[in-house]
Amino acid sequence: MKIIIIGGVAGGASAAARLRRLDEKAEIIILERGEYISFANCGLPYFIGGTITQREALTLQTPQSFHKRFNIDVRVKSEAIQINPETNTVVVKDLESGSIYTEQYDKLILSPGAEPVKPAIEGIHSERIFTLRNIPDTLAVKNYMEQVHPKIAVVVGGGYIGVEMAENLKTAGLDVTIVELASHVIAPLDFDMAADVHRYLTNNGVKLMLNNGVTKIEDNGTLQITLQKGKITADMMIMAVGVRPESKLAKECGLRLNKRGAILVDRTMKTSIDNIYAVGDAVEVEDFITKQPAFIPLAGPANKQGRIAADQICGIPSEYTGTQGSAVLKIFAMTVATTGINEEAALRTGIDYDKTYIYSASHAGYYPGANNMSIKVLWEKQTHKLIGAQIVGYDGVDKRMDVLASAIRFGAKVTDLTSLELCYAPPFGSAKDPVNMAGFVAENVIADKVRQFFWSDVEKLPRDGSITLLDVRTPAEVAAGKIDGFTNIPLDSLRSHLDQIPFGKPVYIHCHSGLRSYIACRILSGYGFTCYNLAGGYRLYETVVNQKNVADYTCTGCLN
C-alpha cells in the first residue's frame, strides 16, 4: 500500500508515524511545501521573546531523523500542485529544481493546515507587518527585531497568538499595544472572566484598544495606523486576527468544503472522495458540546485526527468524537484556561444553562505561595451536565482545567465534581479542591439551598426599600470599595443584628468572593428570610464593572 501525506507538522506527521507503527511494509511519502516537516508551532512566540533561545529546539523532527526512525520518505520543499482523484495521482513540484512529476497513491491524507488571515486593509503589505505561522515567519520577525531594533509594536488581534505575541514582544523590551475588534481578549472567555486578564495585561504594561479595528496603514519609515477610533504609530505590527483553512488544493480536486472553506470529513476523517482523508486545521469538526459544525484549529485535535486517519487506512475502527476546545495560555505569570463552551455559545445555540463562580486558592492557604484562581463553570439546566469551564489564575490552573475537561469528555454532571477524589498535600492543593468546591456551589444552586444573582444584575436592583441589600464584609473591606445602596453588617455579627433586617423582604447579599455571603444566606434562611447570593462576590463585580466603566479604555494611547 502506498500512502501520500500532503503537509506535515501535527496532523500529517502524526498520521505518518502511526501508519508506520501499524504497517512496516507500507510505502509512505510526506510532501511538505516548506523546509520543516515537524516543528513546534506553539513555541514560536517564545523564540521571539527569548524564552526559547535555540532555533533548533523548535524543530521536533528533521527529514533525516524521521526517515531514520520511521523509514518514511520525507520530501521538503515539495509542493503538491494538483490532485487527480480519478487516477489516484498527485502532481508535485520540486521547489528547488522547478521540476514537476506525478506520484500515484492508494490512500491520500491532506494536512495542509490553516493560514493567517490578512485583511484587505490599505497598506497591509508593508515589510514592517508580520504574521506568525511557521519557522520562516518567526525568523523574519526575529531578524527584523535584531536588525531594526523597533521600540513600539502593535498586535492586531487578541486571541491566543496575539496575546502570546504581546507578552513576548513586551518581554523583549518593546512598547506593546493590542488592538482587538471584540469587547475582550481571548474569545473563548466570557467578558467577566476576561476582565481579570485585561487588568493584568495593563498592569504589565500592555496597552489595550478594545472594540476597535484597523482601517488603514501608512508606512512612512514608521507605521501610521488609522483605527476605527483614533490613530496610533508603531515600528512593527503583528497581524493575529485569526486563521482560515488552506484548502485551495482540496477545492480544486472537487472535495466538499463548507462556506468557510474547511474540508468536510466524517468521523473517520474521510472526505467526500474515496481514498482521500483530511486532518488538522483545514477540516470542519463537530463541537463536542453543541454537536454543531465548527472550526477549532488546535494542535491536540490535529494529532488525534492524524492517528484516526492512519487507523482507518490500516483497518482499525476509529472515530473522532468532536472538539471541545480545551486550551491553556500563559500570560507573563498568569495562566488562562478554557474548555467546552462559554455563555455566548450557549445562548447562540439555545442551550438552557446555569452558571456559578468560585474564587479558590491554588493550594492550602497556610502553605506559602498560594494564589487564588477565578473559576467559572456552566452546566445544562435539565441534565446538569457540565458544558463549559473557564479559569484565570496562576499556579494550578492547568491541572484543574484538565480535570474539568476530562469530566466534560466523559459526560459528567456538574454535581459529580463533588465526589472526585483528587490528590492533596498542602503544597499542591486543599482537602476540598477548587474543582470539588465548584461542584459544591453548583450542587447548592441546583438543590435551591442558595439562590444567585450576578454582577450584571446589581445595577438593576431597586434601591427603594422594597428589597434589602446587604454587604457582609468587614468594615476595612468596605472602606476600600463598596457597592452603592448596600448596608454593611459583617458576617460574624449578623445574628446579633437580625432586627436591622426587615422581615418579609428579599435579601440580596454579597461578600468578597461569595463564600461568606453564602453562609449569611444560610443563616438568614434559617430565620425564614428569602436570600440571594452575589455569585463571584464583590471581587468579580468590581473587576468587571471597572473594565466596563473606564471611559477611554477602548482607545488608551490613541492619537486623536
Side-chain angles (χ1 to χ4, degrees):
M1 182 165 54
K2 182 177 180 180
I3 306 109
I4 295 178
I5 301 171
I6 299 176
V9 196
S14 293
R18 176 67 170 171
L19 282 166
R20 176 56 72 221
R21 291 194 295 269
L22 295 176
D23 187 343
E24 180 61 26
K25 296 181 180 179
E27 182 181 356
I28 305 169
I29 300 172
I30 299 180
L31 302 174
E32 171 56 51
R33 181 177 56 196
E35 184 180 349
Y36 303 93
I37 183 60
S38 181
F39 58 89
N41 300 66
C42 300
L44 301 180
Y46 302 100
F47 179 71
I48 291 170
T51 301
I52 297 173
T53 58
Q54 299 297 318
R55 168 180 164 179
E56 294 75 18
L58 299 173
T59 307
L60 304 178
Q61 289 279 1
T62 66
Q64 295 76 21
S65 67
F66 214 67
H67 181 270
K68 186 175 181 179
R69 175 160 296 179
F70 296 109
N71 190 28
I72 291 172
D73 183 358
V74 179
R75 303 177 189 177
V76 295
K77 297 184 180 179
S78 297
E79 182 177 9
I81 58 175
Q82 186 178 340
I83 299 170
N84 301 306
E86 301 84 3
T87 57
N88 280 14
T89 57
V90 177
V91 180
V92 186
K93 181 176 182 179
D94 186 317
L95 298 179
E96 288 191 312
S97 68
S99 63
I100 295 175
Y101 61 94
T102 299
E103 284 285 353
Q104 186 127 13
Y105 64 82
D106 295 306
K107 303 290 182 182
L108 178 67
I109 300 176
L110 301 181
S111 179
E115 58 185 344
V117 173
K118 292 193 81 170
I121 299 170
E122 182 181 342
I124 194 68
H125 299 296
S126 165
E127 63 181 12
R128 303 176 198 278
I129 300 175
F130 304 88
T131 57
L132 194 70
R133 180 193 181 187
N134 51 36
I135 291 180
D137 291 344
T138 307
L139 296 178
V141 175
K142 189 76 167 178
N143 292 338
Y144 180 84
M145 292 171 61
E146 291 175 348
Q147 294 170 12
V148 179
H149 304 292
K151 292 181 171 55
I152 302 172
V154 167
V155 177
V156 183
Y160 293 112
I161 293 295
V163 172
E164 286 175 343
M165 280 303 303
E167 174 202 349
N168 281 281
L169 290 170
K170 185 67 180 177
T171 300
L174 280 72
D175 183 288
V176 182
T177 299
I178 296 175
V179 177
E180 169 56 51
L181 196 59
S183 64
H184 65 279
V185 300
I186 317 298
L189 292 176
D190 289 311
F191 183 90
D192 48 21
M193 296 295 285
D196 273 334
V197 180
H198 295 168
R199 175 173 283 177
Y200 183 75
L201 281 168
T202 55
N203 286 346
N204 279 275
V206 176
K207 302 181 185 70
L208 294 178
M209 297 182 182
L210 305 175
N211 297 303
N212 214 339
V214 177
T215 60
K216 180 181 177 182
I217 305 165
E218 297 174 84
D219 187 344
N220 300 315
T222 58
L223 297 175
Q224 309 296 315
I225 305 164
T226 302
L227 305 174
Q228 293 172 341
K229 306 170 189 175
K231 295 183 178 181
I232 54 175
T233 63
D235 301 316
M236 65 180 295
M237 176 187 286
I238 304 293
M239 290 299 303
V241 296
V243 296
R244 58 174 163 239
E246 192 165 327
S247 55
K248 180 174 179 288
L249 195 62
K251 181 179 181 181
E252 290 174 348
C253 81
L255 290 179
R256 290 183 59 214
L257 312 178
N258 67 11
K259 292 181 179 179
R260 189 170 185 167
I263 302 168
L264 297 181
V265 295
D266 63 16
R267 285 191 162 201
T268 67
M269 310 314 298
K270 292 178 182 176
T271 67
S272 57
I273 295 179
D274 287 343
N275 300 318
I276 302 179
Y277 297 76
V279 302
D281 293 352
V283 306
E284 176 185 276
V285 297
E286 180 182 271
D287 185 290
F288 183 77
I289 304 298
T290 68
K291 307 306 177 187
Q292 299 295 311
F295 178 65
I296 309 174
L298 293 169
N303 276 281
K304 293 176 180 67
Q305 292 160 13
R307 181 184 178 93
I308 289 167
D311 284 352
Q312 286 292 328
I313 288 171
C314 293
I316 299 174
S318 186
E319 290 188 351
Y320 188 68
T321 56
T323 302
Q324 67 191 67
S326 301
V328 65
L329 172 69
K330 172 187 172 296
I331 311 173
F332 300 105
M334 177 177 272
T335 306
V336 178
T338 65
T339 191
I341 61 173
N342 59 16
E343 287 196 67
E344 181 184 348
L347 291 168
R348 186 173 62 248
T349 53
I351 295 176
D352 189 17
Y353 71 95
D354 208 342
K355 63 182 179 181
T356 197
Y357 309 80
I358 66 165
Y359 193 55
S360 293
S362 55
H363 59 253
Y366 59 82
Y367 188 89
N371 287 298
N372 282 329
M373 61 184 77
S374 184
I375 302 178
K376 178 178 183 177
V377 293
L378 284 72
W379 65 90
E380 188 178 32
K381 278 188 178 180
Q382 184 177 1
T383 64
H384 303 156
K385 271 192 173 183
L386 188 65
I387 60 173
Q390 303 162 41
I391 309 180
V392 177
Y394 300 90
D395 293 340
V397 167
D398 53 339
K399 79 170 185 174
R400 271 63 185 219
M401 187 55 73
D402 282 341
V403 172
L404 293 167
S406 300
I408 288 176
R409 178 58 64 166
F410 294 114
K413 297 179 180 180
V414 68
T415 50
D416 291 331
L417 301 179
T418 64
S419 60
L420 292 179
E421 185 176 336
L422 303 173
C423 298
Y424 162 60
F428 304 105
S430 299
K432 293 180 181 178
D433 190 84
V435 171
N436 299 133
M437 292 302 299
F440 292 142
V441 174
E443 184 179 61
N444 286 336
V445 172
I446 290 168
D448 204 30
K449 291 180 181 177
V450 64
R451 299 175 185 179
Q452 300 184 113
F453 68 108
F454 301 101
W455 62 266
S456 54
D457 300 320
V458 171
E459 300 309 316
K460 295 178 285 188
L461 295 175
R463 266 70 170 179
D464 59 1
S466 59
I467 63 173
T468 299
L469 305 178
L470 186 60
D471 180 344
V472 296
R473 297 177 299 157
T474 66
E477 289 176 288
V478 174
K482 62 181 182 178
I483 304 175
D484 289 341
F486 280 72
T487 299
N488 178 226
I489 302 177
L491 172 63
D492 291 341
S493 58
L494 181 60
R495 289 183 179 88
S496 60
H497 290 82
L498 293 177
D499 58 339
Q500 297 179 21
I501 304 173
F503 192 78
K505 296 180 181 181
V507 185
Y508 288 76
I509 308 179
H510 84 81
C511 66
H512 180 69
S513 67
L515 176 58
R516 283 172 291 170
S517 49
Y518 164 67
I519 296 171
C521 277
R522 295 307 303 158
I523 292 171
L524 293 181
S525 294
Y527 288 96
F529 289 88
T530 299
C531 296
Y532 296 83
N533 183 28
L534 178 58
Y538 178 81
R539 190 209 70 81
L540 178 66
Y541 167 83
E542 184 277 329
T543 303
V544 176
V545 171
N546 177 275
Q547 299 303 312
K548 280 186 170 292
N549 290 344
V550 176
D552 296 322
Y553 188 74
T554 59
C555 208
T556 302
C558 285
L559 304 175
N560 295 310

